[in-house]
PDB file of all heavy atoms in Angstrom:
ATOM      1  N   LEU R 103     101.354 106.559 104.570  1.00  0.00           N
ATOM      2  CA  LEU R 103     100.386 107.528 105.183  1.00  0.00           C
ATOM      3  C   LEU R 103     100.996 108.327 106.342  1.00  0.00           C
ATOM      4  O   LEU R 103     101.946 107.852 106.954  1.00  0.00           O
ATOM      5  CB  LEU R 103      99.107 106.737 105.830  1.00  0.00           C
ATOM      6  CG  LEU R 103      98.144 106.282 104.869  1.00  0.00           C
ATOM      7  CD1 LEU R 103      97.268 105.151 105.446  1.00  0.00           C
ATOM      8  CD2 LEU R 103      97.294 107.387 104.296  1.00  0.00           C
ATOM      9  N   VAL R 104     100.692 109.513 106.457  1.00  0.00           N
ATOM     10  CA  VAL R 104     101.177 110.505 107.446  1.00  0.00           C
ATOM     11  C   VAL R 104     100.076 110.949 108.337  1.00  0.00           C
ATOM     12  O   VAL R 104      98.931 111.002 107.846  1.00  0.00           O
ATOM     13  CB  VAL R 104     101.992 111.661 106.790  1.00  0.00           C
ATOM     14  CG1 VAL R 104     103.228 111.010 106.179  1.00  0.00           C
ATOM     15  CG2 VAL R 104     101.211 112.424 105.751  1.00  0.00           C
ATOM     16  N   PRO R 105     100.265 111.557 109.418  1.00  0.00           N
ATOM     17  CA  PRO R 105      99.205 111.999 110.343  1.00  0.00           C
ATOM     18  C   PRO R 105      98.307 113.156 109.675  1.00  0.00           C
ATOM     19  O   PRO R 105      97.069 113.129 109.914  1.00  0.00           O
ATOM     20  CB  PRO R 105      99.998 112.706 111.497  1.00  0.00           C
ATOM     21  CG  PRO R 105     101.262 111.899 111.712  1.00  0.00           C
ATOM     22  CD  PRO R 105     101.570 111.530 110.182  1.00  0.00           C
ATOM     23  N   GLU R 106      98.946 113.849 108.666  1.00  0.00           N
ATOM     24  CA  GLU R 106      98.117 114.913 108.070  1.00  0.00           C
ATOM     25  C   GLU R 106      97.029 114.245 107.068  1.00  0.00           C
ATOM     26  O   GLU R 106      96.226 114.925 106.510  1.00  0.00           O
ATOM     27  CB  GLU R 106      98.998 115.798 107.177  1.00  0.00           C
ATOM     28  CG  GLU R 106      99.962 116.706 108.029  1.00  0.00           C
ATOM     29  CD  GLU R 106     101.006 115.984 108.733  1.00  0.00           C
ATOM     30  OE1 GLU R 106     101.458 114.792 108.199  1.00  0.00           O
ATOM     31  OE2 GLU R 106     101.508 116.428 109.741  1.00  0.00           O
ATOM     32  N   ASP R 107      97.101 112.980 106.880  1.00  0.00           N
ATOM     33  CA  ASP R 107      96.179 112.145 105.968  1.00  0.00           C
ATOM     34  C   ASP R 107      94.894 111.912 106.931  1.00  0.00           C
ATOM     35  O   ASP R 107      93.956 111.369 106.313  1.00  0.00           O
ATOM     36  CB  ASP R 107      96.676 111.021 105.414  1.00  0.00           C
ATOM     37  CG  ASP R 107      97.858 111.235 104.436  1.00  0.00           C
ATOM     38  OD1 ASP R 107      97.631 112.201 103.620  1.00  0.00           O
ATOM     39  OD2 ASP R 107      98.773 110.520 104.367  1.00  0.00           O
ATOM     40  N   SER R 108      94.989 112.123 108.158  1.00  0.00           N
ATOM     41  CA  SER R 108      93.841 111.778 108.971  1.00  0.00           C
ATOM     42  C   SER R 108      92.533 112.590 108.696  1.00  0.00           C
ATOM     43  O   SER R 108      92.718 113.770 108.550  1.00  0.00           O
ATOM     44  CB  SER R 108      94.174 112.063 110.438  1.00  0.00           C
ATOM     45  OG  SER R 108      95.206 111.115 110.905  1.00  0.00           O
ATOM     46  N   ALA R 109      91.465 111.946 108.448  1.00  0.00           N
ATOM     47  CA  ALA R 109      90.318 112.645 107.981  1.00  0.00           C
ATOM     48  C   ALA R 109      89.106 111.640 107.737  1.00  0.00           C
ATOM     49  O   ALA R 109      89.500 110.427 107.920  1.00  0.00           O
ATOM     50  CB  ALA R 109      90.579 113.339 106.663  1.00  0.00           C
ATOM     51  N   VAL R 110      87.988 112.072 107.501  1.00  0.00           N
ATOM     52  CA  VAL R 110      87.013 111.234 107.094  1.00  0.00           C
ATOM     53  C   VAL R 110      86.970 111.243 105.680  1.00  0.00           C
ATOM     54  O   VAL R 110      87.069 112.336 104.838  1.00  0.00           O
ATOM     55  CB  VAL R 110      85.435 111.753 107.519  1.00  0.00           C
ATOM     56  CG1 VAL R 110      84.472 110.817 107.000  1.00  0.00           C
ATOM     57  CG2 VAL R 110      85.492 111.794 109.040  1.00  0.00           C
ATOM     58  N   TYR R 111      87.063 110.096 105.023  1.00  0.00           N
ATOM     59  CA  TYR R 111      87.078 109.883 103.583  1.00  0.00           C
ATOM     60  C   TYR R 111      85.840 109.521 103.003  1.00  0.00           C
ATOM     61  O   TYR R 111      85.162 108.618 103.503  1.00  0.00           O
ATOM     62  CB  TYR R 111      88.179 108.697 103.210  1.00  0.00           C
ATOM     63  CG  TYR R 111      89.600 109.295 103.438  1.00  0.00           C
ATOM     64  CD1 TYR R 111      90.141 109.575 104.637  1.00  0.00           C
ATOM     65  CD2 TYR R 111      90.501 109.500 102.384  1.00  0.00           C
ATOM     66  CE1 TYR R 111      91.407 110.095 104.901  1.00  0.00           C
ATOM     67  CE2 TYR R 111      91.664 109.965 102.487  1.00  0.00           C
ATOM     68  CZ  TYR R 111      92.206 110.256 103.718  1.00  0.00           C
ATOM     69  OH  TYR R 111      93.517 110.705 103.907  1.00  0.00           O
ATOM     70  N   TYR R 112      85.406 110.167 101.918  1.00  0.00           N
ATOM     71  CA  TYR R 112      84.146 110.004 101.197  1.00  0.00           C
ATOM     72  C   TYR R 112      84.360 109.641  99.695  1.00  0.00           C
ATOM     73  O   TYR R 112      85.203 110.229  99.190  1.00  0.00           O
ATOM     74  CB  TYR R 112      83.331 111.310 101.182  1.00  0.00           C
ATOM     75  CG  TYR R 112      83.045 111.872 102.654  1.00  0.00           C
ATOM     76  CD1 TYR R 112      83.875 112.698 103.286  1.00  0.00           C
ATOM     77  CD2 TYR R 112      81.808 111.486 103.311  1.00  0.00           C
ATOM     78  CE1 TYR R 112      83.494 113.254 104.590  1.00  0.00           C
ATOM     79  CE2 TYR R 112      81.525 112.001 104.500  1.00  0.00           C
ATOM     80  CZ  TYR R 112      82.461 112.916 105.161  1.00  0.00           C
ATOM     81  OH  TYR R 112      82.063 113.332 106.346  1.00  0.00           O
ATOM     82  N   CYS R 113      83.510 108.707  99.252  1.00  0.00           N
ATOM     83  CA  CYS R 113      83.445 108.683  97.781  1.00  0.00           C
ATOM     84  C   CYS R 113      82.284 109.313  97.276  1.00  0.00           C
ATOM     85  O   CYS R 113      81.211 109.507  97.980  1.00  0.00           O
ATOM     86  CB  CYS R 113      83.550 107.099  97.436  1.00  0.00           C
ATOM     87  SG  CYS R 113      81.951 106.267  97.753  1.00  0.00           S
ATOM     88  N   SER R 114      82.294 109.641  95.956  1.00  0.00           N
ATOM     89  CA  SER R 114      81.120 110.321  95.364  1.00  0.00           C
ATOM     90  C   SER R 114      81.010 109.703  93.966  1.00  0.00           C
ATOM     91  O   SER R 114      81.984 109.203  93.401  1.00  0.00           O
ATOM     92  CB  SER R 114      81.311 111.774  95.259  1.00  0.00           C
ATOM     93  OG  SER R 114      82.278 112.048  94.376  1.00  0.00           O
ATOM     94  N   ALA R 115      79.805 109.725  93.465  1.00  0.00           N
ATOM     95  CA  ALA R 115      79.501 109.367  92.201  1.00  0.00           C
ATOM     96  C   ALA R 115      78.772 110.561  91.425  1.00  0.00           C
ATOM     97  O   ALA R 115      77.864 111.150  91.970  1.00  0.00           O
ATOM     98  CB  ALA R 115      78.497 108.195  92.184  1.00  0.00           C
TER      99      ALA R 115
END
Side-chain angles (χ1 to χ4, degrees):
L103 288 164
V104 296
E106 291 72 25
D107 293 317
S108 297
V110 178
Y111 284 68
Y112 299 90
C113 72
S114 73

